[in-house]
Amino acid sequence: MLRATLRSFLAHKGRLLLSALAVVLSVAFVAGSLIFSDTVARTFDRLFASTSADVTVEPRDDLEASVPTGAVQTVPTSLTGRVAAVDGVASAHADVSVENITVVDSANRSVGPTTGAPTIATDWYVTDRSPVELTSGRVPRGAGEAVLDADTADRKDVRTGDTLTVLAQPGSFRVEVVGIATFKTTNPGSALVFLDPEIAATRLLGSADLATSISVEAANGVTDEELKPRVAAALGSGPYDVRTADEQATSAAEDLGGFLDVIKYVMLGFAGIAVLVGVFLIVNTFSMLIAQRTRELGLLRALGADRRQVRRSVLTEAVLLGLVGSTVGLAAGIGMAAGLIRLMSAFGMNLDTAEMVIGWVTPVSAYVVGVGVTFVAAYLPARRAATVSPMAALADADVAGVGRPLKVRAVVGAALGTLGVAALVGCATASETASAASLLGLGVVLTLIATVVAGPLLVRPVIRVLGGAFPALFGSIGRMSQRNALRNPRRTGATAAALMVGLALVGGMSVASASMSKSFDQQIDDTLGADFVIQNTNLIPFSREVTDRVRDTDGVGLVVRQRFAPVAVRLPDGRRIRTTAAGYDSQVDEVAHVTYARGNTAAALADGAIAMDVDFAEEHGVRVGSVLPVQFPGERTASFRVGALTTRTPPRASACRAACSSASGPSRSTCRAGRTPRCTSTRPPARTRTGSGPGWNGPSTPTRRCRRATRPTTRTWCTTRSPCCCTSCTRCSAWRS
Amino acid sequence: MSTPAAQHAPGLASAEDLAARARGLTKAYGSGETTVLALDSVDVDIVRGRFTAVMGPSGSGKSTLMHCLAGLDTVSAGQVWLGDTEITGLKERELTRLRRDRIGFMFQSFNLIPTLNAVENITLPMDIAGQKPDQRWLDQVIDTLGLRDRLEHRPSQLSGGQQQRVACARALASRPELIFADEPTGNLDSRAGLEVLAFLRQAVDDLGQTVVMVTHDPGAATHSDLVLFLADGRLVDEMERPTAAAVLERMKRFDLIRAQAGAAPEED
């Protein structure tokens, strides 16, 4: 029996090829994404583990900023002495390392990475843990010198002796490149500028008494775990986080996790599509094979094979297909991961294909996905095969497939179709975006399944119409092909279903992305009154210097500044919401169209006032006049009185929200940078005077009234509950009106 | 419905040693007014160790009789035994097992599995049962059928006669109690047909098998020990040690009766 199964599998391998391809693709995407993320994760785990100090003291990360705020949290350098005095500490160093800088060459071109990896300016402090070593030139000494990392130097063609301009928070300054440092470990893709430790704090933080962290080396024989509580005790109850090297590595790796997840989920998305299409292909192929082999199966039944044996025989073929597909897919996945790693190198992240990690999860998931999918997909055809009667072996002609009436399909298809249409109608009339979205999904899935189920019924009318001209066009060949398609509606329907699902996916995605882009444009047209929006390419806020230059430019009228700060708001209903507050200059009405349910811009931006979305406010029991305690980073607190409530218009808002929620998960690709973002997330807009970092300005908006603004406009706040959309969306995060 | 050749009811044997028997075997297709009786209360005994042929005009129910005796098809009424086992009322799985272990089949269109070679096709029933073939018996069957040098060939590489010989070997290989052959010569030229019939004869005479063959070819029927004649779902006659001429003569009378019935349908 097994032999018959094996032979049959080999005999039909041509027909199984397409199904196998679908299995290979889904497995390749699954395996590829797993291998890639494992490899990257291990590379960085190693990097962080080898470069973290024994114990690190950092300012407490109490409010995580969801958008780049430009604020740098610092510790006083005076702590270094206190830490160094702790028993078991060999040495303590005050580190200065900031990411809120832009470095440009003499032609004003940025030398920073374009991949989203940060540009880091830090003090030149070499220990055996340093990720870099000086490979040419000398160490930076004094105010006008710097060392650049070799990868950036190569990429941007910077040589020793060149002059760079560093746009830092306290002000821009020029440095001469005096040395090149090469990464000893994997370069995570960032650009590094090293400054003389003597001047780094002043240049980068604005004060020689500040540091961004303190690295502590343990004395011989003192473990990190022993040292950590002693250091913590020495620091008392100050707002500091003390971490061991292991903890620091884990925390650093977690920060990187988000970026890796994007690649992982995109690839798993592809895998999902391949699986879906694969299921249809496999069902179809096996159905056809079984219809073709009815006589053979009948013979097996007549010769004494019971139903279970016949079913098992078909399923064995499916499992074989799955095994072959998974194996090839696993190999393809390894290739794909290698390709991705190469691709990452092209973007400046130096990963080594030789260090590819293939954990046990990878082959297991590959085979579970590959074999599982084929098995599940082949189950229905296998059951059908088992119902072939032994009499089928005696029939003179094959009658397979035409027999059973399509009544059940008609009923099920009609029922599902009705439900699907009802869900779609419900979606169209729904007022709540959340329920509309789930109704939309339900409607789409149901109508798709209904079409697949009722496919054979639709074959006749569709082929009659579409193939109607065939006989006239192609004569008897045309007639034959039309009749052939009509002869077995099940077969035609099943074949069409695979195509249909594929086209539905492609069509749906392109329509969705086109609508998203369109509605963003619309949103921008409707809400933005500014002629120009200025923002940093890496979305990091820039210094006051830039705003001043913009203001001084000839022809610039009004400039409205915008900036963000992470806050935690205690609401009257007792909930504590972490969100991002945005602050504006008072003429914000001139550049954006904000509509208010209560109050106006003046009230919203009054001293000590805050404004938020009216729906959000109602949900949490906030009224105009409510006084809310707000917490800022560094455990600073303030109280704000609610001065105004903003509104949003439902259709725009839902378009924005849909676009945003699909961009959640840091899918930067959906929200391309360069366009002005318009939607704000869950966060109630707030006006902040306190709590912002020292002297930072948001991207500025020089304004003359936009010609587009003459049409009736509505101001939209996109408010979703989930950590929005906009947290990671480049279009949304930087500019909020 | 008297027939000169039979003193007892046709199809019933007096011998105790029966390979199969049926009582009141009725098979109806359709329901209500459109009911067609393919078999109308047939009583039949198949004697062990004999070569029985079932003949009748098209639509007489001879194939249906075979299917019901072999447990391939369900019956509408009546009982069927294979040896001492009553197969009517057996569950699907028991019936399948019974076919596998106790019955051999030959079909008009050979029905070999195209992906398996000759010897694999021959041992397929044992394969399905998960048993090892009895090698001595298998060799004997293969040699008797002259398939020794064809064992590695696929069905597509064999002539029609060779394919039917493989099918014959497959039917014999598991040494079943009863072999059913459904028009085994129907798709063969006369020489290959004769060969196959000779092998079936040999299987009965030399190997002690019991064979039931459905055919409409009087020439084929002459190789049997006993011919049962079926007409309109009833067993109407039997003929021992048939000759071609006698069988042909008997068959002609069916045509005559049918012609008369066609002329005067009210008489029926």
Side-chain angles (χ1 to χ4, degrees):
Chain A
M1 196 70 191
L2 184 65
R3 185 163 52 199
T5 307
L6 282 172
R7 288 289 172 75
S8 155
F9 177 74
L10 291 175
H12 300 113
K13 53 183 180 297
R15 282 176 180 272
L16 295 173
L17 208 63
L18 204 60
S19 309
L21 188 67
V23 178
V24 166
L25 280 179
S26 15
V27 171
F29 279 117
V30 170
S33 65
L34 288 176
I35 294 172
F36 176 72
S37 54
D38 284 355
T39 306
V40 174
R42 192 171 76 173
T43 307
F44 284 105
D45 278 350
R46 278 188 186 164
L47 169 67
F48 295 133
S50 65
T51 57
S52 298
D54 290 341
V55 172
T56 311
V57 179
E58 286 184 331
R60 184 163 296 156
D61 204 6
D62 49 356
L63 279 176
E64 211 166 286
S66 49
V67 293
T69 60
V72 179
Q73 288 183 258
T74 52
V75 296
T77 36
S78 56
L79 279 187
T80 318
R82 263 158 75 188
V83 172
V86 170
D87 184 32
V89 171
S91 71
H93 174 76
D95 307 309
V96 175
S97 170
V98 298
E99 296 183 7
N100 59 354
I101 56 157
T102 308
V103 180
V104 295
D105 62 13
S106 48
N108 267 343
R109 287 180 304 135
S110 170
V111 299
T114 48
T115 51
T119 305
I120 300 169
T122 182
D123 58 320
W124 180 256
Y125 173 65
V126 180
T127 64
D128 50 357
R129 289 186 206 281
S130 298
V132 294
E133 60 188 357
L134 195 68
T135 45
S136 77
R138 56 178 178 81
V139 299
R141 277 193 291 266
E145 294 183 358
V147 164
L148 190 66
D149 75 279
D151 291 327
T152 305
D154 283 352
R155 205 163 41 232
K156 302 289 178 175
D157 202 22
V158 178
R159 298 202 188 91
T160 312
D162 287 0
T163 304
L164 300 177
T165 304
V166 179
L167 303 167
Q169 173 199 317
S172 59
F173 57 93
R174 289 166 153 256
V175 288
E176 184 194 340
V177 178
V178 295
I180 301 292
T182 308
F183 273 91
K184 292 187 290 186
T185 59
T186 304
N187 176 2
S190 45
L192 263 71
V193 177
F194 299 93
L195 302 174
D196 184 349
E198 298 299 319
I199 59 115
T202 322
R203 288 295 198 197
L204 300 173
L205 300 173
S207 161
D209 300 331
L210 295 176
T212 49
S213 65
I214 295 167
S215 303
V216 181
E217 294 296 316
N220 280 343
V222 182
T223 66
D224 299 354
E225 284 71 24
E226 285 167 4
L227 195 56
K228 178 184 159 183
R230 291 190 217 162
V231 172
L235 293 174
S237 58
Y240 307 112
D241 280 335
V242 182
R243 294 199 188 92
T244 62
D246 286 349
E247 290 166 348
Q248 184 69 10
T250 313
S251 141
E254 274 170 8
D255 287 347
L256 202 74
F259 159 69
L260 293 177
D261 282 350
V262 182
I263 294 172
K264 196 164 162 178
Y265 290 130
V266 165
M267 288 185 70
L268 288 179
F270 281 126
I273 293 172
V275 163
L276 200 61
V277 174
V279 165
F280 275 90
L281 281 174
I282 292 162
V283 170
N284 199 18
T285 311
F286 274 83
S287 300
M288 284 197 290
L289 279 180
I290 281 152
Q292 219 175 31
R293 287 165 54 202
T294 304
R295 214 187 157 85
E296 209 176 297
L297 295 168
L299 173 73
L300 288 175
R301 297 275 290 119
L303 292 182
D306 60 26
R307 281 163 196 259
R308 219 174 48 199
Q309 278 177 303
V310 170
R311 190 170 59 226
R312 211 185 297 148
S313 151
V314 175
L315 287 177
T316 308
E317 274 189 54
V319 168
L320 281 173
L321 175 71
L323 283 175
V324 172
S326 304
T327 310
V328 177
L330 188 57
I334 293 172
M336 201 180 274
L340 268 176
I341 288 170
R342 290 260 164 77
L343 194 69
M344 285 295 118
S345 314
F347 285 135
M349 189 188 273
N350 291 347
L351 295 171
D352 192 353
T353 41
E355 289 191 22
M356 192 183 281
V357 181
I358 303 176
W360 62 270
V361 180
T362 306
V364 168
S365 348
Y367 282 101
V368 165
V369 167
V371 177
V373 163
T374 12
F375 188 87
V376 169
Y379 192 76
L380 270 182
R383 271 186 51 147
R384 210 174 303 146
T387 61
V388 169
S389 101
M391 295 295 289
L394 308 158
D396 283 335
D398 282 333
V399 285
V402 237
R404 289 175 298 144
L406 300 165
K407 213 180 283 173
V408 178
R409 276 177 179 262
V411 172
V412 174
L416 287 176
T418 313
L419 284 175
V421 169
L424 288 178
V425 169
C427 166
T429 55
S431 54
E432 278 287 309
T433 313
S435 56
S438 44
L439 279 174
L440 178 68
L442 188 71
V444 166
V445 169
L446 281 178
T447 40
L448 193 62
I449 295 176
T451 325
V452 170
V453 169
L457 288 155
L458 302 174
V459 162
R460 281 180 208 279
V462 170
I463 301 268
R464 288 251 160 74
V465 174
L466 292 182
F470 267 40
L473 285 173
F474 304 108
S476 51
I477 301 275
R479 195 169 303 118
M480 276 167 68
S481 59
Q482 192 204 4
R483 298 265 166 83
N484 203 25
L486 286 171
R487 195 179 57 171
N488 189 341
R490 272 172 205 280
R491 188 183 55 195
T492 313
T495 315
L499 264 176
M500 196 168 68
V501 170
L503 280 177
L505 283 170
V506 173
M509 282 184 186
S510 53
V511 167
S513 72
S515 318
M516 221 180 272
S517 151
K518 176 85 184 167
S519 67
F520 266 122
D521 290 352
Q522 181 90 43
Q523 200 102 41
I524 291 165
D525 285 357
D526 284 355
T527 54
L528 181 64
D531 290 333
F532 295 96
V533 175
I534 298 170
Q535 65 185 48
N536 208 337
T537 46
N538 56 8
L539 302 171
I540 290 172
F542 40 74
S543 67
R544 188 183 295 273
E545 212 181 330
V546 176
T547 317
D548 292 342
R549 292 253 192 113
V550 170
R551 249 192 207 121
D552 294 345
T553 307
D554 200 22
V556 168
L558 176 67
V559 175
V560 175
R561 296 169 302 161
Q562 174 198 32
R563 56 163 316 181
F564 304 105
V567 292
V569 184
R570 177 72 69 183
L571 296 159
D573 64 357
R575 290 184 59 189
R576 182 169 181 269
I577 303 278
R578 285 173 177 222
T579 180
T580 303
Y584 302 94
D585 282 333
S586 54
Q587 304 98 315
V588 64
D589 278 345
E590 297 294 315
V591 294
H593 312 291
V594 189
T595 54
Y596 292 93
R598 294 282 171 75
N600 52 33
T601 305
L605 297 182
D607 218 4
I610 193 172
M612 64 180 67
D613 176 66
V614 63
D615 290 348
F616 177 85
E618 268 170 23
E619 190 173 324
H620 296 283
V622 178
R623 286 193 208 90
V624 170
S626 304
V627 175
L628 306 178
V630 176
Q631 190 195 336
F632 292 97
E635 303 196 335
R636 288 170 300 172
T637 54
S639 279
F640 287 98
R641 189 179 46 77
V642 176
L645 296 176
T646 57
T647 57
R648 56 193 163 101
T649 33
R652 290 274 178 273
S654 56
C656 170
R657 197 191 305 187
C660 288
S661 54
S662 70
S664 74
S667 164
R668 274 158 199 266
S669 60
T670 33
C671 294
R672 260 166 258 106
R675 293 236 185 103
T676 315
R678 214 81 290 270
C679 59
T680 52
S681 65
T682 82
R683 348 180 142 131
R687 191 216 169 206
T688 59
R689 279 275 159 84
T690 55
S692 352
W696 279 97
N697 298 318
S700 324
T701 316
T703 292
R704 260 170 293 150
R705 185 162 280 282
C706 174
R707 53 192 169 282
R708 294 191 191 118
T710 50
R711 77 170 76 145
T713 51
T714 45
R715 171 73 195 95
T716 306
W717 292 110
C718 169
T719 60
T720 45
R721 209 93 316 140
S722 59
C724 164
C725 102
C726 308
T727 59
S728 47
C729 163
T730 60
R731 287 184 69 172
C732 305
S733 56
W735 210 99
R736 229 148 21 114
S737 60
Chain B
M1 190 198 284
S2 65
T3 49
Q7 295 306 309
H8 59 279
L12 295 188
S14 48
E16 289 291 285
D17 198 15
L18 296 179
R21 68 197 159 99
R23 290 294 176 270
L25 176 55
T26 304
K27 176 72 185 177
Y29 291 107
S31 58
E33 286 187 14
T34 57
T35 306
V36 175
L37 273 185
L39 291 175
D40 187 0
S41 194
V42 172
D43 296 337
V44 68
D45 291 341
I46 305 296
V47 181
R48 210 180 284 280
R50 289 181 80 178
F51 189 171
T52 309
V54 178
M55 288 205 71
S58 294
S60 59
K62 54 188 190 303
S63 285
T64 310
L65 175 65
M66 192 198 92
H67 298 158
C68 290
L69 288 176
L72 285 172
D73 210 349
T74 55
V75 303
S76 306
Q79 289 168 293
V80 177
W81 288 266
L82 181 76
D84 294 329
T85 318
E86 188 188 339
I87 67 171
T88 39
L90 279 187
K91 289 204 184 83
E92 167 76 31
R93 180 171 299 181
E94 295 162 327
L95 209 54
T96 304
R97 189 147 298 170
L98 179 125
R99 278 202 305 269
R100 187 183 81 190
D101 298 336
R102 296 169 64 182
I103 296 177
F105 286 102
M106 282 176 76
F107 303 96
Q108 179 174 358
S109 46
F110 324 137
N111 276 3
L112 301 176
I113 303 277
T115 51
L116 298 178
N117 65 26
V119 69
E120 287 163 352
N121 263 295
I122 292 170
T123 56
L124 184 62
M126 280 85 86
D127 235 19
I128 291 171
Q131 293 157 353
K132 278 222 161 270
D134 173 351
Q135 198 55 47
R136 272 179 56 197
W137 171 255
L138 194 63
D139 286 338
Q140 192 181 350
V141 167
I142 288 168
D143 289 332
T144 307
L145 289 163
L147 288 169
R148 182 57 66 189
D149 55 346
R150 289 280 179 275
L151 291 181
E152 299 302 320
H153 289 54
R154 294 276 176 97
S156 56
Q157 299 164 312
L158 297 171
S159 71
Q162 286 166 339
Q163 286 190 49
Q164 195 62 303
R165 268 148 62 193
V166 171
C168 185
R170 179 177 67 193
L172 288 166
S174 56
R175 221 195 277 245
E177 286 173 40
L178 188 52
I179 294 171
F180 288 99
D182 188 3
E183 305 266 14
T185 58
N187 276 1
L188 299 176
D189 62 45
S190 54
R191 207 177 65 90
L194 279 175
E195 243 175 44
V196 166
L197 288 166
F199 286 129
L200 285 177
R201 186 71 250 173
Q202 216 176 335
V204 174
D205 294 343
D206 301 349
L207 306 176
Q209 292 290 306
T210 311
V211 176
V212 175
M213 175 177 71
V214 169
T215 183
H216 62 261
D217 173 13
T222 54
H223 291 78
S224 68
D225 297 314
L226 174 75
V227 183
L228 303 175
F229 291 98
L230 239 73
D232 296 329
R234 291 187 193 132
L235 207 52
V236 292
D237 201 356
E238 65 175 32
M239 185 186 288
E240 292 212 44
R241 281 177 295 283
T243 62
V247 172
L248 199 60
E249 188 58 33
R250 184 68 191 84
M251 291 297 285
K252 270 184 185 159
R253 271 198 279 147
F254 284 124
D255 299 339
L256 207 64
I257 290 165
R258 181 165 290 190
Q260 283 168 355
E266 275 77 22
E267 277 183 22
D268 203 31

